[in-house]
């Protein structure tokens, strides 16, 4: 079987997250828009992208940058119109690029018509669409902490009850135990699937259900400040979640070739919950994010521990996906920055993400080594940054404008962008890197096309051969084909002993030319080398 047969776009392809406000501005207002994404589809297609996940674009008061939806069937005017969206979808499909939308249904905006009605009286028909409770002996019903700190309970003076919000108080949680709510979600999914959307990224889906008996979460100092010093036993991952995911999946499966990827928000607690969302029978989420790599130190042995753990729990009928950066955490290259070595590290990361087992998700700009922008107090737009500055600076830094050229405003916009550019845009931009054969961008392009051409990289097994703090080596095998990957995370030369008697052909390396031969035995691995080998014909 060659690499192209049975090619499933969301399994074998490379997916790419776009923060729509920061990709490309066509209207000259400093904010990216849907037409801007359409204008850059050729770039994405040349890069070898199979699917784009668009950050939230539905109508929203933007208190949480669009993760507070006020109308699920519309496009926020900031991004354009429904016609712009349909054009984007059609043009993407012409190029074989699939479109995944953000589906944000743990909560709505407090400006959504459902919540306006729900909060209007205790006996309106939408009251039970959200989670309302009386005070318990004059106090909040439980000790549950919101993901952004503070209580999940907000007192509503008018109707004299509390409503629950897992995130900001302007994002009331929907009541997923109510059949009408579920049907409304599934109808919304159908609305977009009928338009031709290829799938959804489901925002914090492990929070949909909360404990019905309203038991307090156990206090736990070791859970840390971001968990509000409690174990979230009763506020997420509740029994019944599988049933909901099954229902969602059955909506999707009425259409051909669609998918959903779950955002399973647990930050730093390992893959257990992500795996639950995949399900043993492969009938829940097609993919689920495991975020450990976003919190892993630059240490080859730590990287390998994470994936070893992840792969060891993936059910036989499940499929892993892998991610190093997204819109909620500092970009990987910023986390791992090492002065002049930053781009070298970017290439090692690229080789890792694109040669391990599972679907890679890139975050726009990752392919050029785009770093976070520096954000000062007056630049902050993210509510979390506004709430907690300067202790927590918010997520604006990683949502920075894409750098297309060294022209005015990095070719992103004709006017000053909504967030600061990174000051390095004269060097770090698409146009310059296209011309430079040794650029990070060209390395990504080569890796992506290699990946697509080699069955072991797309569908092969994964075998970790060795790893220490500096070096990781693994094999990908499919039928009788074998690919060997060795990555040096360190700035010093290292050696690696290969115990097989084979001669190796260089498929791609940061340091040697492709098709050169590496002899059996002892390999020298150059500083920050990414070396991808295939068995040579003898
Ligand atoms: C998810 C999103 C994040 C958002 C939150 C609340 O974690 O990735 O950006 O703020 O959910 O919707």
């Amino acid at each position: 079987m060659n690499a192209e047969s049975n090619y499933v776009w969301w399994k074998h392809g490379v997916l790419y997250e776009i923060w729509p406000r920061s990709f490309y501005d066509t209207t000259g207002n400093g904010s990216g828009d849907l037409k801007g994404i359409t204008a850059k589809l050729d770039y994405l297609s040349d890069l070898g992208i199979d699917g784009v996940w668009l950050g939230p674009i539905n109508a929203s008061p933007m208190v949480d940058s669009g993760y507070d939806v006020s109308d699920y069937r519309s496009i926020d005017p900031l991004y354009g119109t429904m016609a712009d969206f349909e054009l984007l979808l059609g043009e993407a499909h012409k190029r074989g690029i699939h479109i995944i939308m953000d589906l944000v249904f743990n909560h709505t905006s407090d400006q959504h018509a459902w919540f306006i009605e729900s909060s209007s009286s205790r006996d309106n028909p939408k009251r039970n669409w959200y989670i309302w409770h009386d005070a318990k002996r004059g106090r909040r019903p439980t000790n549950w902490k919101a993901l952004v700190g503070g209580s999940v309970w907000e007192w509503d003076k008018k109707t004299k009850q509390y409503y629950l919000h897992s995130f900001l108080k302007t994002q009331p949680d929907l009541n997923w135990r109510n059949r009408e709510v579920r049907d409304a979600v599934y109808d919304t999914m159908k609305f977009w699937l009928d338009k031709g959307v290829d799938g959804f990224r489901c925002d914090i889906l492990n929070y949909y259900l909360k404990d019905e008996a309203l038991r307090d979460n156990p206090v736990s100092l070791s859970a840390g400040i971001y968990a509000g010093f409690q174990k979230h036993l009763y506020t997420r991952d509740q029994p019944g979640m599988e049933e909901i995911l099954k229902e969602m999946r059955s909506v999707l499966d009425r259409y051909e070739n669609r998918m959903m990827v779950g955002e399973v928000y647990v930050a730093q607690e390992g893959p257990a919950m992500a795996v639950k969302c995949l399900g043993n029978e492969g009938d829940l989420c097609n993919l689920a994010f495991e975020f450990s790599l976003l919190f892993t130190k630059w240490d080859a042995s730590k990287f390998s521990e994470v994936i070893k753990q992840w792969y060891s729990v993936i059910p036989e009928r499940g499929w892993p996906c892998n991610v190093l950066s997204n819109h909620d955490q500092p970009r990987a290259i910023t986390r791992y920055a090492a002065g002049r070595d930053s781009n070298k590290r970017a290439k090692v990361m690229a080789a890792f993400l694109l040669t391990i087992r599972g679907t890679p998700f890139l975050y726009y700009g990752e392919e050029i080594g785009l770093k976070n922008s520096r954000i000062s107090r007056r630049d902050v737009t993210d509510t979390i940054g506004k709430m907690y500055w300067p202790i927590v600076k918010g997520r604006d830094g990683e949502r920075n404008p894409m750098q297309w050229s060294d022209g005015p405003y990095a070719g992103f916009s004709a006017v000053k962008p909504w967030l600061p550019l990174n000051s390095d845009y004269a060097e770090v931009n698409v146009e310059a890197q296209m011309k430079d054969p040794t650029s990070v961008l060209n390395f990504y392009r080569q890796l992506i096309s290699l990946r697509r051409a080699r069955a072991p990289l797309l569908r092969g097994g994964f075998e970790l051969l060795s790893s220490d703090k500096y070096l990781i080596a693994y094999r990908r095998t499919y039928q009788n084909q074998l690919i060997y990957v060795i990555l040096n995370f360190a700035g010093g030369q290292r050696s690696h002993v290969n115990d097989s008697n084979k001669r190796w052909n260089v498929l791609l390396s940061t340091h040697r030319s492709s098709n050169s031969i590496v002899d059996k035995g002892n390999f020298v691995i150059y500083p920050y080398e990414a070396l991808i080998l295939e068995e040579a014909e003898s």
Side-chain angles (χ1 to χ4, degrees):
M1 192 190 287
N2 68 28
E4 287 289 333
S5 48
N6 285 335
Y7 189 87
V8 179
W9 67 275
W10 56 265
K11 260 183 150 172
H12 306 121
V14 176
L15 305 188
Y16 186 94
E17 178 188 358
I18 288 183
W19 192 249
R21 198 163 176 189
S22 292
F23 203 55
Y24 184 53
D25 170 23
T26 60
T27 61
N29 66 353
S31 276
D33 44 60
L34 294 176
K35 280 191 178 140
I37 300 171
T38 308
K40 296 295 184 186
L41 285 171
D42 285 337
Y43 165 74
L44 295 174
S45 147
D46 172 74
L47 181 59
I49 299 303
D50 296 76
V52 165
W53 152 27
L54 296 176
I57 52 170
N58 296 135
S60 162
M62 302 283 167
V63 184
D64 185 19
S65 311
Y67 282 106
D68 46 333
V69 177
S70 54
D71 179 358
Y72 289 97
R73 296 185 185 210
S74 68
I75 302 292
D76 194 281
L78 182 66
Y79 303 114
T81 62
M82 189 61 89
D84 295 340
F85 178 75
E86 285 162 359
L87 182 71
L88 166 60
L89 194 59
E91 289 297 314
H93 285 170
K94 274 189 208 158
R95 292 163 177 80
I97 297 177
H98 300 79
I99 298 286
I100 302 171
M101 289 184 82
D102 232 304
L103 195 73
V104 188
F105 268 118
N106 174 68
H107 44 258
T108 68
S109 158
D110 61 352
Q111 307 297 307
H112 194 291
W114 299 339
F115 189 70
I116 294 174
E117 186 174 347
S118 183
S119 55
S120 65
S121 68
R122 283 199 186 199
D123 53 8
N124 74 80
K126 293 266 184 321
R127 186 64 168 179
N128 200 24
W129 279 46
Y130 293 83
I131 304 172
W132 293 94
H133 279 288
D134 290 331
K136 194 168 137 195
R137 292 188 290 278
R139 305 179 62 171
R140 297 184 175 104
T142 62
N143 71 345
W144 299 346
K145 290 278 191 284
L147 273 161
V148 289
S151 170
V152 298
W153 298 108
E154 183 69 17
W155 181 248
D156 177 49
K157 280 194 209 121
K158 185 167 166 206
T159 60
K160 299 200 169 36
Q161 276 191 317
Y162 285 102
Y163 68 84
L164 184 145
H165 59 93
S166 295
F167 215 69
L168 301 171
K169 66 179 180 199
T170 51
Q171 290 166 298
D173 282 29
L174 283 162
N175 177 11
W176 274 86
R177 298 191 191 273
N178 182 339
R179 176 49 57 189
E180 287 177 89
V181 168
R182 292 194 194 185
D183 289 342
V185 175
Y186 308 150
D187 283 348
T188 310
M189 290 172 70
K190 287 183 213 149
F191 173 82
W192 292 105
L193 292 166
D194 286 339
K195 276 198 186 296
V197 162
D198 300 285
F200 301 105
R201 175 265 187 191
C202 306
D203 194 58
I204 49 172
L205 50 62
N206 56 322
Y207 278 76
Y208 288 174
L209 294 175
K210 293 88 186 161
D211 182 39
E212 265 190 305
L214 293 180
R215 280 169 284 190
D216 276 345
N217 277 332
V219 172
S220 154
L221 286 184
S222 63
I225 187 162
Y226 292 111
F229 296 110
Q230 55 182 229
K231 283 207 175 108
H232 285 261
L233 264 192
Y234 298 117
T235 31
R236 65 183 187 199
D237 191 29
Q238 296 300 296
M241 193 176 75
E242 283 83 354
E243 183 195 307
I244 291 178
L245 298 182
K246 225 176 246 178
E247 288 179 1
M248 292 174 78
R249 178 65 183 268
S250 74
V251 174
L252 273 181
D253 286 351
R254 278 181 235 156
Y255 299 77
E256 231 178 290
N257 227 355
R258 315 290 168 103
M259 62 82 86
M260 62 182 196
V261 49
E263 186 207 18
V264 184
Y265 192 75
V266 292
Q268 312 191 28
E269 294 154 54
M273 237 184 259
V275 160
K276 275 197 191 170
C277 294
L278 289 174
N280 283 333
E281 301 307 317
D283 55 353
L284 306 183
C285 290
N286 304 73
L287 300 173
F289 285 123
E290 206 292 90
F291 288 134
S292 300
L293 286 173
L294 278 73
F295 303 95
T296 302
K297 284 203 323 210
W298 183 255
D299 174 328
S301 64
K302 297 267 188 290
F303 272 56
S304 54
E305 261 167 44
V306 167
I307 47 167
K308 222 162 71 187
Q309 219 197 342
W310 182 211
Y311 293 160
S312 73
V313 293
I314 296 283
E316 208 181 311
R317 302 183 64 179
W319 187 256
C321 68
N322 303 301
V323 57
L324 291 170
S325 290
N326 69 18
H327 63 279
D328 286 328
Q329 300 298 333
R331 291 172 176 275
I333 187 163
T334 299
R335 301 197 304 271
Y336 301 132
R340 281 200 320 222
D341 286 345
S342 298
N343 278 349
K344 296 179 187 159
R345 289 190 173 188
K347 289 183 184 172
V348 173
M349 280 188 263
F352 177 78
L353 190 66
L354 290 158
T355 60
I356 57 174
R357 180 166 174 263
T359 310
F361 274 79
L362 308 185
Y363 184 48
Y364 77 98
E366 187 169 332
E367 73 279 16
I368 57 168
L370 179 64
K371 297 195 189 72
N372 275 33
S373 288
R374 200 181 279 274
I375 301 292
S376 63
R377 175 68 187 90
R378 69 184 133 72
D379 302 319
V380 174
T381 72
D382 181 19
T383 304
I384 295 184
K386 290 183 186 162
M387 286 165 76
Y388 294 115
W389 186 277
I391 299 158
V392 177
K393 294 187 172 159
R395 298 162 291 181
D396 292 300
E398 57 265 22
R399 297 173 179 180
N400 50 336
M402 180 67 172
Q403 298 175 179
W404 295 103
S405 73
D406 64 0
Y409 305 117
F412 165 75
S413 171
V415 301
K416 189 167 176 240
W418 73 290
L419 280 176
L421 291 156
N422 191 303
S423 53
D424 65 8
Y425 74 85
E427 296 89 48
V428 180
N429 66 69
V430 170
E431 206 176 273
Q433 292 200 16
M434 279 286 193
K435 291 183 205 142
D436 172 4
T438 68
S439 66
V440 175
L441 177 58
N442 274 317
F443 192 60
Y444 268 94
R445 292 168 76 212
Q446 287 167 311
L447 273 167
I448 293 172
S449 81
L450 174 65
R451 189 186 145 83
R452 185 149 193 158
R454 288 296 191 282
L457 294 178
L458 295 188
R459 44 184 112 238
F462 176 94
E463 188 193 351
L464 188 64
L465 297 176
S466 65
S467 89
D468 59 24
K469 195 164 187 290
Y470 309 107
L471 204 77
I472 172 170
Y474 46 90
R475 263 202 301 239
R476 304 289 319 273
T477 39
Y478 186 75
Q479 295 173 348
N480 55 356
Q481 302 168 52
L482 171 67
I483 286 184
Y484 196 166
V485 183
I486 309 162
L487 305 175
N488 186 353
F489 277 53
Q493 183 166 305
R494 312 206 70 83
S495 64
H496 171 73
V497 181
N498 163 34
D499 59 6
S500 84
N501 220 1
K502 301 182 189 337
R503 288 172 76 236
W504 300 95
N505 187 12
V506 176
L507 285 175
L508 185 61
S509 156
T510 42
H511 290 66
R512 347 180 175 217
S513 44
S514 298
N515 293 322
S516 54
I517 293 288
V518 174
D519 236 332
K520 49 195 170 208
N522 218 344
F523 300 161
V524 165
I525 312 294
Y526 298 111
Y528 290 118
E529 181 174 23
L531 179 59
I532 306 173
L533 304 168
E534 182 177 56
E535 198 180 337
E537 315 260 311
S538 41

